[in-house]
Every structure is written in structure tokens, then in C-alpha cells.
Amino acid sequence: MLKLFSIALFLFCSLLNAQDLFKFDLIQKGEQDANTLLVVGGIQGDEPGGFISASLLATHYEITKGSLWIVPNLNFYSIIKRSRGPHGDMNRKFAELSEEDPEYEAIQRIKSYIKDENVKLVVNLHDGSGFYRKTYEDDMHAPHRWGQCSIIDQSNIDVEVYSNLEEISSSVVKYVNEHLIKDEHKYHVHNTRTKEGDKEMEKTLTYFAINEGKAAFGNEASKNLATHQRVYYHLLALEKYMDIMGIEYKRKFTLDSDGVYSAINNDIHISLYEEKISLPLAQIRDIVNYFPIKKDGVVDFKASNPLLAIIKNGNTYVIQYGNRRLSRLNADYLDMDEDYNIVKFSVDGKEVDVKFGEILKVENSFVVHKANSFRVNVIGYVNKSGIETGVEIEKKQIQKRFSIDKTGTTYRVEYYNKEKFVGMVLVRFKN
């Protein structure tokens, strides 16, 4: 079932007010209490391991005990732009910031969540270069590298719970190191000793949290690793933090390299116009032509993941997943009929009622039944009569180039009331 993370149309061409268009999400999971873990991803848009990990925590974990808050897309504009920070590094704006800064409101908002009396521990997720080592080994394994470490600003803070930052960080590092993919990926504690004079680190989110009396940690995965491997290490660390805080959960995938890869890439989808159109995105084509869009150009959508967005660029609507462009929908602007919702099919000889937005699984063939006076268009199917209802249609009769997916298995069945678009059903043949 789709979770409503956003209903919006993002305008790519005129991003003069980008921060209003790309406001970040706060997702609260579990039973809210005074022992809340706040996880932040996406403060820098060129670090996908961090923001994808936070998004999976939001979509693929059920919290059965305790309280978890997640901000998966803190600097969403930065994520879309594949930039460390189009308006400067957001993670250097927590000490002083002008009200004129384009990110001022976002910074004030995330600060309010950090300062919330229920939040006791904060984890900020990053991807860093190379592999942090306390002593120099070579240029990629050295003290000046940031990948594969748990960051603390100081060893202890004066609070009632989670005061021993170094002990907690060491516990997380030990746990991660028990589940390494390769020995080179070993984690270390990195104490920046910020208050001893590190002027750059004094400007960061974690140091702000420390000074608000909150235990705060940075978790860095290496940019030298594939994104799904970075996510694997972030999730290992996050599960240990939840364990330390007594937060219990159920995970919807196996926590290993393959399981994470599948969760990232296969379980993503959107629906449009009150779910009259559904689009699975795992194998969607780079370009989908003649896609029904309301005549006024507005696209209302529901997304299975908070990193999904639809961005208008002229007459093209770009489906964005974090900093990846999944597809471009070339618009067919139409008036829309909003009243009708259920139609009939026969699928492999069995008659079924189908709602618009559904995906029908077909072994061999399907038949579209007549529905009122609606005109039916099975996209890519052509016969001499021009009639597309009441006839048995097999996969071989539909031109593969009209499938919405790269595997050539899923096709659009569209309904029209005269010139108005009514709805869409997808037919998916067995591969």
C-alpha cells in the first residue's frame, strides 16, 4: 500500500523558491515517548548512502516498541541537484545563520526537532571519502579520510541518559565490525574533539545537538563503496543505536548486501490522480510517451518513498528518486473524468472486477470487457477492426516498445469518455 509522503508538483525550470518546494519530511514511527531517536539523512545531496538509508528506515521498518523520528531528505533540493549544497554546505549552518539565507527556515525547523524534549539521541548520516584510520596507512586509509567511522564531538556530555558518547560509539563500531563485507571496511571511532578548537565542526548539526544536551553521533560510510553497501553499513549502525535505546523493530528485508540492493531498487512506485494511475518504477523505461496529464499541468501523486518526486520541465515530467532520474513522462494533456472506477476483464479465462490503478498479472491472455460507452486503448496493440474490447489479447500481439518497463512485460490499458481520460489499468505478463 502506498504511503503518502508527498502530493506535489515540483517545478524544475523556475526554482527561485526551491526551499518551499522541496521541504523535508519528518516521519514519526512507533509510540511517541521521551526516549526518541532522531535520524537525519540528506543534509548533503551528494551522499546517497545516508539519505537512502534513512528512507529505507522510514519505509521498510516497523517500530514495535519505542519512538523513532526520521528526516530522510533534509536538504531535498541538494539531493535533486546532486550537489553537496547549492546554497553552501548546510552542515556548516548550525552556529550562525542569516535570516536571508535560503535554508534559514529549514535549519530552524530541524533545530526545533533536535531540541524537542522527547529526543534523546541524534544520528546524522553521511558518506565520506576513503577509509578513516587513526594512523596513516596510505592516502585512502588515513586520519584525513572520513569513510567508515562513527563520529563523536567529545567523549562525554552532562546529561541523564546516553552521556558516554565514546562508549556508545565504540559499541556501535564493534557491532558493525562483526558484520563486515570485507576487512577493509572496518569501522573506527573518530572523536573530532570539536570544543578544543575545531571551528568547522563547531558549525555542524551534531555539535548543535550536543550543546542542546542531546547525545549526537555522525555515521559515515565510505564513498569508495557501492551505494547499497554504504546503506548496509548505515543500517547496521542504526539497528545498534535502536538496540541501545531499547527500540524494537521488524525489518521487511534481509540485512545483507543483496537484500539491501533489492529493497532500494525493486520496491518503489507512485500513483497519480487519486490512484487512477499506478506506476511501478523498478524497471520503468527511460522515456514514457503520451502519458496522461491533467490539462492544467498539475500532477498530484502518492509515493512509496520520501525520496520520490515528479519534476516538471516544459512538457516533460521527470520522475526523480533521490539524485537518480528514473524516467521522463512526455505529457499528453487531457481533461479528466473522475467519476468511474471499476471495470471488468477476463484474465486467462477468469472474469475479474478491476479498479483503475491496479496491476493485473496475466499468464497467457486477457480480454477487456466493454464498459459503458468508454473507448479503450490497449497501448501498442493493433488489429484490423480497430476494436480493442471483447477480443482476446496475447503478449505477442502488443508491440514491445510500448511497454512501460524495460523488460517488456507491462502494458497500459487506458479508458476514455469521449475525449476525457477516465483511468488506467496495467497488464503485466509473466516474464
Side-chain angles (χ1 to χ4, degrees), residues 17-54:
N17 201 12
Q19 297 311 310
D20 288 335
L21 292 169
F22 292 93
K23 288 184 176 179
F24 66 81
D25 294 296
L26 173 69
I27 299 159
Q28 298 175 313
K29 300 175 74 74
E31 294 291 330
Q32 303 309 298
D33 61 28
N35 184 45
T36 295
L37 167 62
L38 172 61
V39 175
V40 179
I43 197 169
Q44 290 150 342
D46 60 349
E47 300 180 2
F51 56 75
I52 292 175
S53 301

Side-chain angles (χ1 to χ4, degrees), residues 288-300:
V288 178
N289 289 315
Y290 302 106
F291 191 84
I293 298 291
K294 274 188 178 180
K295 226 168 196 178
D296 61 10
V298 173
V299 176
D300 295 328

Side-chain angles (χ1 to χ4, degrees), residues 249-410:
Y249 58 87
K250 293 180 181 177
R251 188 184 344 99
K252 298 178 182 178
F253 60 95
T254 302
L255 188 53
D256 58 23
S257 183
D258 291 341
V260 170
Y261 183 89
S262 179
I264 293 170
N265 293 292
N266 294 335
D267 191 13
I268 47 174
H269 45 285
I270 59 173
S271 70
L272 299 90
Y273 303 123
E274 298 183 353
E275 301 187 17
K276 289 203 170 191
I277 300 174
S278 180
L279 280 180
L281 301 175
Q283 293 289 332
I284 193 166
R285 285 189 180 274
D286 296 335
I287 298 174
V288 178
N289 289 315
Y290 302 106
F291 191 84
I293 298 291
K294 274 188 178 180
K295 226 168 196 178
D296 61 10
V298 173
V299 176
D300 295 328
F301 70 93
K302 295 180 182 180
S304 65
N305 187 292
L307 299 177
L308 287 167
I310 297 180
I311 304 166
K312 186 177 188 297
N313 186 6
N315 291 325
T316 297
Y317 291 75
V318 178
I319 301 176
Q320 195 82 18
Y321 178 30
N323 52 26
R324 292 164 51 193
R325 186 180 72 189
L326 297 183
S327 184
R328 291 180 292 170
L329 309 177
N330 289 331
D332 184 10
Y333 292 109
L334 299 163
D335 288 322
M336 295 203 174
D337 190 328
E338 300 178 356
D339 294 333
Y340 208 80
N341 197 35
I342 296 178
V343 291
K344 289 185 181 293
F345 278 67
S346 289
V347 178
D348 298 316
K350 182 179 179 181
E351 187 172 309
V352 292
D353 289 335
V354 183
K355 289 183 179 180
F356 290 133
E358 284 192 33
I359 302 174
L360 283 181
K361 294 182 179 179
V362 177
E363 289 275 344
N364 299 306
S365 65
F366 68 93
V367 177
V368 185
H369 291 213
K370 290 183 179 179
N372 295 345
S373 58
F374 293 159
R375 173 171 60 87
V376 174
N377 189 0
V378 181
I379 306 299
Y381 170 73
V382 179
N383 64 21
K384 292 181 180 179
S385 69
I387 297 172
E388 302 188 17
T389 58
V391 295
E392 188 175 25
I393 300 175
E394 298 178 353
K395 180 181 177 182
K396 64 185 179 182
Q397 297 172 286
I398 310 177
Q399 297 177 67
K400 186 175 181 179
R401 65 189 177 93
F402 287 98
S403 67
I404 68 162
D405 60 331
K406 296 173 183 176
T407 59
T409 60
T410 308

Side-chain angles (χ1 to χ4, degrees), residues 13 56 78 93 148 205 209 247 295 299 387 391 405 421:
C13 296
L56 286 187
S78 172
K93 296 186 178 185
Q148 301 301 98
L205 181 150
I247 297 172
K295 226 168 196 178
V299 176
I387 297 172
V391 295
D405 60 331
F421 177 80

